Amino acid sequence: MSIKRFLAVCALASAVTSPAFAHATLQSSDPKAGSALGSAPKQVRLKFNEALEPAFSKITLLGTGNKEIPIGGATVDNADPTVMTAPLPPLSAGAYRIRWLAMSHDGHKRKGDVPFTVK
């Protein structure tokens, strides 16, 4: 087999199998990462590129000194399982981080943070 043909076969195999190995990736958040808000948000809304496993996906809120702030439980939207939300308590001015853990139907977990500030 020629090197060109070998590379073409590898490229095709990669293109065909890559969706099967995809992981839930955060596409958008409300509040947006790095935003400075004039008033505190009442909830967190995270949108992912694929459906989440509700039992293994969660949202936590961190405040000053990485202190966890109790929030309502995160829920995955039944109508759109790519969306996870959680209600927030009243927040005072300061810096916050939304920490999320998302598990997709393929069983892979991803995590990340969304920082924001309330003025």
Side-chain angles (χ1 to χ4, degrees), residues 75-95:
T75 57
V76 173
D77 189 323
N78 288 332
D80 183 357
T82 65
V83 174
M84 182 168 48
T85 61
L88 295 177
L91 301 174
S92 58

Side-chain angles (χ1 to χ4, degrees), residues 3-118:
I3 189 73
K4 283 184 181 180
R5 187 170 193 163
F6 175 75
L7 292 175
V9 168
C10 288
L12 180 59
S14 173
V16 170
T17 60
S18 62
F21 298 108
H23 306 305
T25 301
L26 184 65
Q27 290 185 317
S28 65
S29 66
D30 185 15
K32 294 184 188 295
S35 61
L37 308 172
S39 60
K42 298 198 183 306
Q43 78 164 2
V44 172
R45 182 179 189 279
L46 305 176
K47 170 82 172 155
F48 294 85
N49 67 326
E50 60 184 66
L52 303 177
E53 285 291 340
F56 302 102
S57 301
K58 68 179 190 170
I59 296 172
T60 55
L61 180 66
L62 303 174
T64 304
N66 287 329
K67 182 179 177 186
E68 188 170 332
I69 299 168
I71 62 172
T75 57
V76 173
D77 189 323
N78 288 332
D80 183 357
T82 65
V83 174
M84 182 168 48
T85 61
L88 295 177
L91 301 174
S92 58
Y96 298 92
R97 277 190 306 142
I98 300 160
R99 178 163 287 162
W100 56 266
L101 173 66
M103 184 169 147
S104 56
H105 289 296
D106 66 4
H108 290 99
K109 291 182 182 178
R110 301 277 310 261
K111 60 184 176 179
D113 290 344
V114 177
F116 70 96
T117 303
V118 176

